Amino acid sequence: MSGVTLVLGGARSGKSSFAEQLAESRALPRTYIATAEAFDDEMAVRIARHREARSGKGWQTVEAPLDPAAALRAARGLVLIDCITVWLGNLMHHERPIAPAVEDLCSALADSVSRVIMVSNEVGLSIVPENAMARRFRDEQGLANQRLAAAADEVFLVTAGIPMRIKG
């Protein structure tokens, strides 16, 4: 049953919808590891909208804004982690080191008996950000995506709602 899928895409590319369709096509217990934190009202609305969209579809939601690796280690069945990008932003916000956290997630992926699908943004296809923090985030995201893609059995890139298999 184990296996790791990484779904990449830009903002509003359809990557989360595609990942959920992959997950819901399987008749397993499903755990949704949510990484978002509601730092403002707009984000609280987004989180509520996502929860409602999953309602009644057999998902158990686990909130893990800073440690999805621990949540993955506790889960069984199929696990969807959405999203790596938000998680990295949380780590930066809370001033936590990113590289060791990504390595811990990769270790949890390697040890997992669950089928895992991760969602992450591809942020390196645009202009170079104008400030140091945004450039650091872009770089950390790109490095994390490379590490997670190497750990994944299959990788999809979703553009304009169309998934393209790029690995596996």
Side-chain angles (χ1 to χ4, degrees):
M1 174 177 37
S2 64
V4 176
T5 299
L6 176 63
V7 179
L8 298 167
R12 295 287 175 251
S13 64
K15 63 190 174 300
S16 291
S17 295
F18 174 69
E20 288 177 17
Q21 288 170 7
L22 282 177
E24 290 171 359
S25 69
R26 302 177 186 270
L28 302 167
R30 291 189 298 268
T31 301
Y32 190 103
I33 298 177
T35 62
E37 287 185 285
F39 291 114
D40 58 36
D41 292 340
E42 186 268 343
M43 192 61 171
V45 169
R46 284 178 180 255
I47 291 169
R49 197 174 328 136
H50 275 266
R51 282 185 189 137
E52 181 157 335
R54 291 190 308 274
S55 179
K57 294 184 178 179
W59 288 101
Q60 173 194 0
T61 300
V62 175
E63 305 289 338
L66 295 172
D67 196 357
L72 174 58
R73 287 182 177 101
R76 295 294 175 263
L78 185 136
V79 177
L80 174 58
I81 303 173
D82 195 356
C83 106
I84 300 301
T85 307
V86 172
W87 170 54
L88 295 181
N90 294 343
L91 293 174
M92 286 183 70
H93 176 79
H94 292 284
E95 299 181 355
R96 297 199 180 176
I98 292 174
V102 171
E103 287 309 313
D104 187 40
L105 179 56
C106 288
S107 176
L109 291 168
D111 295 340
S112 182
V113 296
S114 296
R115 174 79 177 87
V116 182
I117 302 170
M118 298 175 291
V119 176
S120 189
N121 284 54
E122 177 53 70
V123 299
L125 297 174
S126 187
I127 62 172
V128 175
E130 70 175 18
N131 66 72
M133 184 176 76
R135 286 189 298 274
R136 177 177 169 238
F137 177 80
R138 182 225 28 214
D139 293 349
E140 294 284 4
Q141 179 70 62
L143 293 169
N145 284 346
Q146 287 182 55
R147 185 66 185 94
L148 294 169
D153 300 301
E154 61 182 355
V155 179
F156 290 90
L157 177 64
V158 180
T159 303
I162 300 169
M164 298 168 283
R165 184 184 303 266
I166 59 174
K167 179 183 177 183

